[in-house]
Amino acid sequence: MEVTELFNVNLSPTTSSIFSTTWSEDGRIFVITENGLHVLEMLPDPRSVTPYVNLHRTWVSLPQFRPSENVGIQANDVMWELDQDEVYQMIMDVNLTPKLPTAKTHPCIVVQAAWSPGGVLRNNRCALGVMSNFGAVSLHASTNMQWELYTDISRQWLEMNQAEWNKEKLVDDLRANFHTLKERVARIKTTSFCWSDLFLLDSTKFELLITGQASGCILFWRLELTGAARVKPSLALTLDTDLKKISSLHWSTVGHNKGVLLAGDHGGRISSYVLLVSREGLECKHRAEVWPHADRLTVSHIATLPSPRGAVFLATKGTFLVALRLDNFGAVVTFTAQQVGNLNITGVCSLGDDVAMVVTQSGCFSEVTVHTTGSGEMTTSIRQLATDKNLTHWAAIGLSISHNRAFCAVAYRLCKAYDHLIRREPGQIAFFKLPHRKDSFTLLRDNPTQELTHYWDHVEAVRLQNISDGFVQGLEFATDHDDLEKYSPYQLRLAAVVLKMFVSLTDATENKDMIQLMRCRLRQMQLHVFVMYLCGRIGQLVDRWRSGLPLSPSDLDSLGLSRLWLRGSAARRDLTGEKMSALIEGTLGLPQVPGETREEFCHICRGGCPVESHRHSSCPAGHLLPRCSLTMRQCSIVPYMVCTICSEVALADVVVEGEDNPRCIYCETLFVIDEKVGSVAMTTANLSKSSTRLGQTDPVLEGRPKEEITSTDTL
Ligand SMILES: [Zn+2]
Ligand SMILES: [Zn+2]
């Protein structure tokens, strides 16, 4: 079993913390660096022929906020009457360090970050929480491909405390003030944080952000999910604990509106808190000491490992991995501790039930399996996984695994004295293929969800495999049946993706006939998908009208155009299969709705045009307008939406139930507003000038050439 490196991306500035990378539910990865975070988003593209995954890189900069400078007492004022020990104490803590005129101030450094669960932001997106060495926690959200502050928890906490402190009167004793300063800093400084899962209570959706303070106090912030660009959290609960400097927090949902919070500290102890969310608020029901030994092995990370016998918690302490199983009251039922590798553990991820992958600073991968005996005792077994990556000079400092475990990503830090002029990129994130029992294509074929939506990591894995093998996996599947009706809608979409890969990878000059044949087949497959979608949509709209619900003018337009195309177009007359004919026949037999469009007019010159193509409308004057791929209406206004994978377009006013944005019917990715033209006022005349070039590219393979529609020379 080997973990094979696929490709890597160099990063700068250097990465600093351990557990420095995590994969989010919405397919993004962050990598912690000293003064901010790199966020990499996978942009899958079946037509790409590059041997790496296309990654969109954004940067989250760290707010330069030092809460400890605003606690009402300045370190500079109190330092004059302290003992040597106390002065050293001040210098050792960045939050207490006096500002000296000759010395540089400490820079703000990112020390911890965490993704929220999906759905905190619009479009099922995740927010990003970031914590600095000054103990400031801020939440960030991406809009228009830029990261903006979502909320500043630490500033809010500081303001709440400042209101209290302003009422207190300071004594005229520098030593007493020094102690007050230390107390206030410990209260204000966050040393660890985590997110809860989403809650639903009385149709209000919310989320908890949990911060552990240096004083040992745990704060629970409630964030209501409104979809707005900013959020104002409210403090739901303050929990005093006897932990000293909380170093890691972990939330795990254990029942309806019930969860267990595990908190570990710098001294090595771990405690558990069982919390219940109700209409009355948040309440701590039970607390227990899970690891009472202050063994001085800092608890650097806690994670959940799913298991059929009840979840296992994995706590990382230096080189040791502690596996714990808790009862309903948060008390330990059974535990086991084992050393993994010879250097600090820097990344732990679940690989499935009872199995976790662990990476240590030396870069060595281990697979840890938790076994439960008949009597409930736990044991662990460790297996080293080999890797082909050359690890000289690199220290691994973080591990993350993609949604369906197709890839894992490891963050590395350069681990040798280096020449600044030569090494400009002292950090790296490398992507590996995980050793799987099944290959990615088999997983896609047997995909239980019958949707590609969350399976793009495996599609990319198949593509990379194809490039390295020079052989297209799944081609047999895609060309198996001559009769396309033998495929299910999901199988058709998957087969189309495979064919796209094949067409892009095959040399067109040598295999001209073959490529021609495959393109034709691909077009046919997409037509099948489209007709199935269209018939479903016509049926839905007619049903809505039948049950007395009103249809909007755009619905009536869409309904009429769909029916006109289905009745008259040449393309659909090629669909002679039994099932397809029956489906079309049945749909055309549905009653007409009063007011639906019976004739199409060009949006530019108002001239009548026959509904021929389902991809664009063309009028006798030569105007060619792309059609919305979901409603068939002419797409002549901005903003519009695009599918980032197949470049299909859709009108921005199309709504679907349950989701913020509709999905592309060919590849099932969410449509997004085309931000390249979102801010540009474009007239229909401009669009038409460029759209006359639409016909020159093969619409199936190239998708809609959006570059041409939006290129500046036509504006
Ligand atoms: Zn026209
Ligand atoms: Zn698409």
Side-chain angles (χ1 to χ4, degrees):
M1 293 275 260
E2 195 178 51
V3 189
T4 332
E5 186 179 17
L6 295 166
F7 62 96
N8 57 57
V9 181
N10 284 337
L11 299 171
S12 161
T14 184
T15 40
S16 52
S17 312
I18 59 170
F19 292 93
S20 62
T21 172
T22 308
W23 218 300
S24 72
E25 276 178 39
D26 62 353
R28 291 185 286 189
I29 316 159
F30 69 67
V31 187
I32 297 179
T33 76
E34 275 181 353
N35 39 19
L37 297 105
H38 287 289
V39 176
L40 308 169
E41 181 170 11
M42 214 168 89
L43 296 180
D45 182 1
R47 291 164 302 175
S48 166
V49 289
T50 51
Y52 47 82
V53 176
N54 192 8
L55 295 166
H56 181 258
R57 212 196 284 198
T58 43
W59 175 256
V60 186
S61 49
L62 182 68
Q64 299 293 308
F65 176 52
R66 298 171 171 84
S68 51
E69 285 177 2
N70 304 289
V71 295
I73 305 167
Q74 294 301 325
N76 284 33
D77 300 339
V78 297
M79 64 183 281
W80 305 107
E81 274 183 31
L82 302 181
D83 297 337
Q84 198 178 23
D85 276 2
E86 286 167 325
V87 174
Y88 285 162
Q89 216 180 63
M90 284 180 98
I91 293 168
M92 292 300 286
D93 187 340
V94 287
N95 289 280
L96 297 175
T97 307
K99 275 190 184 157
L100 302 176
T102 48
K104 259 192 183 170
T105 47
H106 276 280
C108 283
I109 292 175
V110 186
V111 290
Q112 225 180 67
W115 289 110
S116 76
V120 164
L121 304 175
R122 273 176 57 89
N123 291 336
N124 250 342
R125 285 303 210 170
C126 303
L128 179 61
V130 181
M131 189 183 86
S132 75
N133 56 336
F134 280 88
V137 175
S138 52
L139 309 185
H140 303 258
S142 77
T143 40
N144 293 341
M145 303 189 168
Q146 272 188 354
W147 289 90
E148 271 155 34
L149 194 66
Y150 185 51
T151 187
D152 195 336
I153 297 251
S154 289
R155 202 176 286 272
Q156 194 178 333
W157 178 231
L158 179 70
E159 279 161 12
M160 285 162 76
N161 279 288
Q162 275 174 334
E164 290 294 312
W165 294 334
N166 287 342
K167 290 179 206 151
E168 288 172 26
K169 220 167 162 51
L170 288 178
V171 287
D172 200 16
D173 175 359
L174 290 183
R175 175 150 297 165
N177 284 349
F178 175 61
H179 286 288
T180 316
L181 171 69
K182 277 207 294 188
E183 256 175 46
R184 288 185 179 181
V185 167
R187 186 170 170 76
I188 215 76
K189 182 186 176 184
T190 304
T191 49
S192 181
F193 78 99
C194 75
W195 297 86
S196 75
D197 294 310
L198 295 188
F199 294 98
L200 184 66
L201 196 71
D202 296 337
S203 71
T204 315
K205 251 195 197 173
F206 64 95
E207 159 76 39
L208 294 174
L209 186 98
I210 305 155
T211 62
Q213 307 300 114
S215 61
C217 177
I218 300 176
L219 309 173
F220 295 80
W221 299 90
R222 183 183 150 126
L223 280 79
E224 243 162 70
L225 309 183
T226 54
R230 294 285 291 243
V231 68
K232 191 159 168 65
S234 57
L235 189 60
L237 180 70
T238 325
L239 204 64
D240 281 312
T241 73
D242 58 352
L243 295 172
K244 300 276 177 303
K245 257 185 113 183
I246 295 167
S247 59
S248 68
L249 287 170
H250 176 71
W251 172 273
S252 176
T253 301
V254 290
H256 182 63
N257 285 342
K258 190 178 166 194
V260 58
L261 178 77
L262 284 146
D265 73 359
H266 274 268
R269 295 188 303 155
I270 306 171
S271 297
S272 73
Y273 308 90
V274 178
L275 292 131
L276 194 69
V277 178
S278 65
R279 242 171 244 134
E280 283 72 45
L282 186 64
E283 199 188 342
C284 178
K285 285 285 188 193
H286 311 279
R287 49 171 85 195
E289 290 219 45
V290 171
W291 188 266
H293 323 291
D295 49 20
R296 297 201 180 185
L297 291 171
T298 300
V299 185
S300 47
H301 189 76
I302 306 173
T304 306
L305 185 65
S307 165
R309 302 275 298 259
V312 174
F313 296 101
L314 294 178
T316 311
K317 293 160 71 67
T319 61
F320 289 91
L321 196 66
V322 181
L324 302 147
R325 188 168 274 144
L326 307 182
D327 64 10
N328 286 340
F329 306 102
V332 180
V333 178
T334 170
F335 78 93
T336 169
Q338 194 156 8
Q339 194 171 12
V340 183
N342 43 13
L343 282 175
N344 272 353
I345 296 171
T346 53
V348 176
C349 281
S350 154
L351 274 181
D353 280 358
D354 289 325
V355 187
M357 186 157 158
V358 175
V359 68
T360 57
Q361 200 152 5
S362 58
C364 112
F365 294 97
S366 310
E367 195 184 79
V368 178
T369 313
V370 176
H371 308 276
T372 312
T373 60
S375 56
E377 293 283 300
M378 263 197 309
T379 54
T380 47
S381 63
I382 298 169
R383 188 168 56 142
Q384 288 234 344
L385 301 175
T387 172
D388 59 343
K389 185 174 173 68
N390 178 1
L391 291 163
T392 345
H393 309 316
W394 289 113
I397 52 166
L399 169 74
S400 59
I401 289 184
S402 73
H403 199 76
N404 301 298
R405 307 185 183 106
F407 303 112
C408 76
V410 180
Y412 292 97
R413 168 173 64 198
L414 198 65
C415 197
K416 77 179 225 204
Y418 63 91
D419 183 340
H420 292 260
L421 295 173
I422 296 170
R423 270 328 290 209
R424 277 160 172 254
E425 284 163 329
Q428 189 182 80
I429 182 157
F431 291 78
F432 295 87
K433 185 173 159 33
L434 286 171
H436 252 283
R437 265 149 277 167
K438 281 183 184 172
D439 66 284
S440 287
F441 183 75
T442 316
L443 283 166
L444 283 171
R445 200 192 54 203
D446 306 338
N447 176 357
T449 65
Q450 294 284 297
E451 277 179 15
L452 286 171
T453 313
H454 297 296
Y455 277 77
W456 281 100
D457 55 343
H458 279 300
V459 177
E460 281 296 281
V462 168
R463 189 180 67 77
L464 294 179
Q465 191 72 41
N466 291 344
I467 289 174
S468 65
D469 295 355
F471 162 80
V472 177
Q473 250 181 318
L475 189 62
E476 223 168 85
F477 165 80
T479 52
D480 196 15
H481 305 296
D482 279 337
D483 182 6
L484 294 183
E485 292 193 350
K486 290 199 174 137
Y487 291 104
S488 73
Y490 169 73
Q491 286 174 331
L492 269 181
R493 281 190 288 262
L494 179 60
V497 168
V498 172
L499 279 188
K500 271 186 191 175
M501 290 182 194
F502 176 77
V503 172
S504 331
L505 277 179
T506 313
D507 187 350
T509 48
E510 279 180 24
N511 306 286
K512 222 171 183 176
D513 295 344
M514 171 77 126
I515 293 282
Q516 212 54 42
L517 210 70
M518 288 302 160
R519 283 188 187 190
C520 182
R521 187 174 169 84
L522 182 54
R523 216 168 289 150
Q524 217 47 34
M525 280 179 166
Q526 295 195 325
L527 192 64
H528 269 73
V529 172
F530 179 73
V531 169
M532 279 190 269
Y533 162 79
L534 200 68
C535 290
R537 184 174 156 84
I538 294 175
Q540 269 175 11
L541 288 174
V542 172
D543 277 350
R544 243 171 65 195
W545 168 71
R546 271 177 175 158
S547 54
L549 292 167
L551 292 185
S552 68
S554 32
D555 283 340
L556 289 169
D557 193 25
S558 161
L559 181 61
L561 292 176
S562 308
R563 237 197 283 247
L564 283 173
W565 180 81
L566 212 51
R567 190 169 293 135
S569 84
R572 87 107 185 117
R573 280 196 291 273
D574 293 344
L575 300 173
T576 47
E578 226 171 89
K579 267 201 237 163
M580 272 293 153
S581 309
L583 181 65
I584 294 171
E585 211 64 29
T587 308
L588 287 177
L590 292 173
Q592 295 263 330
V593 175
E596 74 171 65
T597 303
R598 283 156 196 265
E599 205 179 342
E600 189 176 31
F601 295 100
C602 170
H603 277 195
I604 296 165
C605 66
R606 316 305 308 169
C609 45
V611 185
E612 188 50 48
S613 162
H614 67 288
R615 294 186 163 269
H616 48 79
S617 71
S618 61
C619 79
H623 299 131
L624 200 64
L625 282 172
R627 285 191 191 282
C628 164
S629 63
L630 299 173
T631 63
M632 289 210 59
R633 288 156 60 209
Q634 292 173 28
C635 218
S636 59
I637 42 167
V638 284
Y640 59 87
M641 298 188 285
V642 284
C643 163
T644 48
I645 289 176
C646 30
S647 315
E648 289 292 331
V649 292
L651 288 164
D653 62 355
V654 182
V655 281
V656 282
E657 262 170 54
E659 265 173 328
D660 295 325
N661 281 8
R663 289 180 185 278
C664 171
I665 58 166
Y666 300 108
C667 69
E668 300 172 354
T669 34
L670 281 176
F671 273 110
V672 288
I673 295 287
D674 191 349
E675 281 159 1
K676 281 194 277 180
V677 293
S679 56
V680 182
M682 200 155 58
T683 62
T684 49
N686 283 333
L687 193 61
S688 77
K689 232 196 303 173
S690 59
S691 65
T692 46
R693 279 189 273 154
L694 271 175
Q696 293 165 8
T697 44
D698 182 349
V700 173
L701 284 173
E702 307 297 331
R704 291 266 154 65
K706 58 182 171 179
E707 298 299 337
E708 297 205 354
I709 299 178
T710 59
S711 65
T712 42
D713 63 344
T714 60
L715 293 176

